[in-house]
Amino acid sequence: MTVDEGVAQRALVAFRISCPSLMRRKDGSLLTATIDWQPVCTAASTVVPGGAAAFFRDNFEWDRLGEGKLFATGYYEPEIAGTRVAQTGYAVPVYRTPPDLVRCTRADGTSGRGRLDPVTSQCLPYYTRAEIEDGVLANKGLELGWAADPVDLFFVEIQGSGRLVDPAGNVVRIGYDNQNGQTYVAIGKLLRDRGILPPGGANMEAIKAWLRANPDQGRALMRENLSYIFFKELTGTGPLGALGVPVTAQATVAADPLYTPLGAPVFVQADRPEINGLWVAQDVGGAIKGANRFDTFWGAGADATRIAGGMAAKGQALLLLPKGSAAKALAARAATPPAAASAQAQP
């Protein structure tokens, strides 16, 4: 495993940021324990300039998850036209989490996000995308900002964070805070399955172009994705990932925490050379499921949008675990497969 020093340095920065969470968070994959990470986190804090590649080489051993066959996509922090207050041309609300969105137990005994009936206190499904877009949450003081284009805001929801940029250049950074508990449906897959876009042709720009060229059909299609994201305003250097720390452009990947310990380094070799090297699992995603499914983060700006929007890489992935823990990881996986461990994973 050969790692470029510059790539390793970015990964080291991300790994150091992750260490506090690694030291207190239970590993949903059951591959590691907090004690496994203590020595490497201590070592990470003392790495001198030029020593990042050596740090990863000397302090970790690799583990192949399943067959190790990777599929990686990309995500980014979009910039869209938006304002903090409603004004002409900016009429699409960006909502913060409503106070009536709660976790509750349904009549069938399952639990999840929903709302309580004000009369019976019965746990009901929370409002769908269509109901929210039709105004069920309007005029309740929940508007964090206003977007100019519903298609742009839809893709900010998919990315999980973004920037509202007003005509004067002022920026409001927003990030994922909650979700309505409804099912996520990938509209790109719907477009492919219905023969509207060709296989391999349902990339982000093609989907946006079709939605805008077919506004009525596009609005109906977006509503087939019942899931709706609520945002909070962000400060700091970058969007917050699932570890509660800022994600790092060209160093963070979203992963499935049932297979990859959040905070762990991942080594990638793929048919897209820009993703080759070390990444750190700092985030999760609704569509990122399985042992070798990753979503690479590229930051903000035109280049990030272009690379992330067209990313569909295949290759190999290796999980880096603290020395001495790989054998324990194999035993833990054999004893408790990820499906059985899911109840123990962090939400």
Side-chain angles (χ1 to χ4, degrees):
M1 184 179 71
T2 302
V3 181
D4 175 83
E5 180 62 29
V7 173
Q9 181 60 43
R10 282 200 303 270
L12 176 61
V13 171
F15 181 72
R16 283 170 170 164
I17 293 171
S18 297
C19 271
S21 294
L22 271 169
M23 305 305 292
R24 63 175 181 267
R25 179 186 173 94
K26 184 176 181 180
D27 177 6
S29 74
L30 303 183
L31 297 179
T32 63
T34 298
I35 194 171
D36 297 324
W37 295 101
Q38 290 174 346
V40 289
C41 282
T42 299
S45 67
T46 64
V47 176
V48 299
F55 162 75
F56 287 107
R57 182 192 65 227
D58 297 340
N59 289 277
F60 292 88
E61 54 193 6
W62 62 267
D63 181 28
R64 191 184 304 277
L65 295 177
E67 296 181 348
K69 293 183 178 179
L70 162 141
F71 178 65
T73 48
Y75 70 114
Y76 66 105
E77 187 179 19
E79 294 182 346
I80 68 171
T83 56
R84 191 179 289 277
V85 297
Q87 55 185 274
T88 302
Y90 299 86
V92 184
V94 181
Y95 286 121
R96 56 173 56 88
T97 299
D100 63 341
L101 175 60
V102 297
R103 297 192 70 88
C104 54
T105 302
R106 308 178 186 99
D108 63 2
T110 62
S111 62
R113 296 179 179 91
R115 60 187 178 90
L116 299 178
D117 185 286
V119 176
T120 66
S121 295
Q122 180 183 1
C123 180
L124 303 175
Y126 204 73
Y127 302 114
T128 64
R129 172 177 298 277
E131 291 173 314
I132 293 170
E133 290 181 351
D134 285 340
V136 71
L137 298 179
N139 303 314
K140 295 184 177 181
L142 297 172
E143 294 84 1
L144 182 62
W146 299 83
D149 183 353
V151 173
D152 281 342
L153 182 60
F154 183 86
F155 278 85
V156 172
E157 288 189 52
I158 292 173
Q159 298 301 318
S161 64
R163 304 180 183 196
L164 306 179
V165 184
D166 72 14
N170 299 308
V171 175
V172 177
R173 296 185 57 246
I174 59 174
Y176 174 95
D177 188 50
N178 217 325
Q179 189 257 1
N180 64 344
Q182 298 279 357
T183 302
Y184 173 81
V185 176
I187 64 170
K189 184 176 187 303
L190 297 181
L191 289 169
R192 289 192 302 270
D193 290 348
R194 295 168 186 176
I196 298 171
L197 292 178
N203 59 45
M204 180 183 64
E205 293 306 321
I207 296 170
K208 283 185 175 182
W210 187 89
L211 293 172
R212 292 189 171 117
N214 303 273
D216 292 337
Q217 291 172 276
R219 184 168 182 261
L221 181 75
M222 289 189 290
R223 287 185 169 200
E224 291 191 54
N225 176 22
L226 304 181
S227 173
Y228 190 92
I229 301 302
F230 300 105
F231 292 99
K232 60 185 175 184
E233 186 170 353
L234 297 180
T235 58
T237 58
L240 295 180
L243 282 175
V245 300
V247 294
T248 303
Q250 300 182 55
T252 292
V253 289
D256 186 338
L258 295 184
Y259 295 88
T260 301
L262 289 185
V266 178
F267 180 73
V268 171
Q269 287 184 308
D271 56 6
R272 291 287 297 268
E274 59 264 60
I275 75 167
N276 288 343
L278 279 169
W279 298 77
V280 178
Q282 294 180 303
D283 210 355
V284 300
I288 311 305
K289 303 298 181 185
N292 295 286
R293 179 68 173 92
F294 299 102
D295 203 19
T296 54
F297 178 63
W298 294 91
D303 286 345
T305 303
R306 174 181 55 81
I307 295 171
M311 181 59 64
K314 295 181 180 179
Q316 301 289 322
L318 299 174
L319 174 63
L320 273 65
L321 297 175
K323 278 195 170 180
S325 61
K328 292 190 296 181
L330 291 171
R333 189 181 301 123
T336 311
S342 61
Q344 302 179 48
Q346 294 286 336

